């Protein structure tokens, strides 16, 4: 039975690298995969890129993308063995249910990777839906500067200071975000 998986973590935990490794494992065995990433992240449009230099071409999705329809169409003409999706936090709740239908009705495993929470410690809508209905939840580990598990994403403003307000989604990398344990996240915001 195919499952819907959600691999979640803070920034810099290796989510994209883990996705690309899983994709490689399928392809190495002659299996067909379909990769997706968010169109919202314009830093590497059309590619999933990891900080360690791995990358692969991917289809882009936005809030209007019919993931179930697109996967079903490709699967009919060229059978797939797995669907892998990066930046799962940007999915809509309806799209998460489409991914569940891909697993349930098409019999394809769906591996989603993404952030659990934003820079305020609040769930992203896509992450909330995945946490609610995924068959398997896997936490990937990042490390805070103190050595504890990093679970929070501290956003930095243009001056390198902790941001306390702003839009939930602001695309950026190490120049904009720092992965911290909850203790140091709270301390940074209370300074």
């Amino acid at each position: 039975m195919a499952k819907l998986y959600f691999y979640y973590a803070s920034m810099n935990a290796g989510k994209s690298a883990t996705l690309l490794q899983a994709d490689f494992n399928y392809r190495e065995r002659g299996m067909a995969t379909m990769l997706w990433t968010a169109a919202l992240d314009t830093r590497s449009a059309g590619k999933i890129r990891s900080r360690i230099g791995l990358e692969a071409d991917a289809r882009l999705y936005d809030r209007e993308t019919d993931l179930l329809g697109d996967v079903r169409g490709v699967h009919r003409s060229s059978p797939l063995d797995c669907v892998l999706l990066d930046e799962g936090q940007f999915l809509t709740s309806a799209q998460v249910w489409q991914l569940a239908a891909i697993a349930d009705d098409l019999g394809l495993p769906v591996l989603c990777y993404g952030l659990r929470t934003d820079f305020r410690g609040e769930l992203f809508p896509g992450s909330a839906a995945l946490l609610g209905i995924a068959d398997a939840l896997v936490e990937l580990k990042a490390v805070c500067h103190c050595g504890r598990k990093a679970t929070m994403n501290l956003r930095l403003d243009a001056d390198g200071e902790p941001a306390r307000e702003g839009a939930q989604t602001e695309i950026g990398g190490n120049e904009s975000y720092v992965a911290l344990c909850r203790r140091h996240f709270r301390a940074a915001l209370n300074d």
Side-chain angles (χ1 to χ4, degrees), residues 111-177:
L111 286 62
C112 293
Y113 298 77
L115 298 173
R116 181 178 61 165
T117 58
D118 65 13
F119 75 104
R120 295 175 294 226
E122 297 175 8
L123 291 172
F124 284 97
S127 301
L130 284 161
L131 287 167
I133 70 166
D135 297 299
L137 302 172
V138 180
E139 183 179 25
L140 301 175
K141 308 292 191 289
V143 179
C144 179
H145 62 82
C146 70
R148 288 188 179 108
K149 178 174 71 169
T151 58
M152 310 301 291
N153 303 299
L154 181 71
R155 182 185 292 168
L156 304 174
D157 65 18
D159 298 321
E161 297 298 318
R164 290 172 176 79
E165 54 188 46
Q168 183 176 44
T169 301
E170 185 176 299
I171 303 302
N174 290 344
E175 77 288 351
S176 303
Y177 291 93

Side-chain angles (χ1 to χ4, degrees), residues 5 7-8 15 20 30 36 55 63 68 75 94 100 111 121 126 135 153-154 158 160 163 168 187-188 191:
Y5 297 84
Y7 296 83
Y8 64 92
K15 295 177 299 296
L20 293 167
W36 291 89
E55 69 177 41
R63 299 180 62 76
L68 175 59
H75 187 55
L111 286 62
D135 297 299
N153 303 299
L154 181 71
Q168 183 176 44
D191 281 347

Side-chain angles (χ1 to χ4, degrees), residues 48-59:
I48 296 173
R49 287 197 171 116
S50 72
R51 291 178 300 117
I52 62 171
L54 302 173
E55 69 177 41
D57 292 334
R59 293 171 183 256

Side-chain angles (χ1 to χ4, degrees), residues 23-185:
D23 175 59
F24 177 82
N25 290 343
Y26 273 94
R27 290 184 298 102
E28 183 180 44
R29 288 162 182 80
M31 299 172 143
T33 60
M34 177 183 270
L35 277 61
W36 291 89
T37 193
L40 186 61
D41 186 349
T42 57
R43 293 173 297 167
S44 53
K47 292 203 179 289
I48 296 173
R49 287 197 171 116
S50 72
R51 291 178 300 117
I52 62 171
L54 302 173
E55 69 177 41
D57 292 334
R59 293 171 183 256
L60 296 174
Y61 74 87
D62 59 26
R63 299 180 62 76
E64 307 304 318
T65 303
D66 177 1
L67 295 166
L68 175 59
D70 288 356
V71 170
R72 181 183 284 135
V74 169
H75 187 55
R76 278 188 190 137
S77 62
S78 181
L80 296 167
D81 295 294
C82 185
V83 175
L84 300 102
L85 185 137
D86 205 14
E87 307 293 353
Q89 70 271 12
F90 299 135
L91 293 163
T92 66
S93 181
Q95 288 172 321
V96 172
W97 282 101
Q98 289 175 11
L99 296 175
I102 291 167
D104 297 343
D105 302 341
L106 301 182
L108 296 173
V110 179
L111 286 62
C112 293
Y113 298 77
L115 298 173
R116 181 178 61 165
T117 58
D118 65 13
F119 75 104
R120 295 175 294 226
E122 297 175 8
L123 291 172
F124 284 97
S127 301
L130 284 161
L131 287 167
I133 70 166
D135 297 299
L137 302 172
V138 180
E139 183 179 25
L140 301 175
K141 308 292 191 289
V143 179
C144 179
H145 62 82
C146 70
R148 288 188 179 108
K149 178 174 71 169
T151 58
M152 310 301 291
N153 303 299
L154 181 71
R155 182 185 292 168
L156 304 174
D157 65 18
D159 298 321
E161 297 298 318
R164 290 172 176 79
E165 54 188 46
Q168 183 176 44
T169 301
E170 185 176 299
I171 303 302
N174 290 344
E175 77 288 351
S176 303
Y177 291 93
V178 177
L180 297 173
C181 67
R182 185 180 60 228
R183 177 181 177 198
H184 285 108
F185 176 82

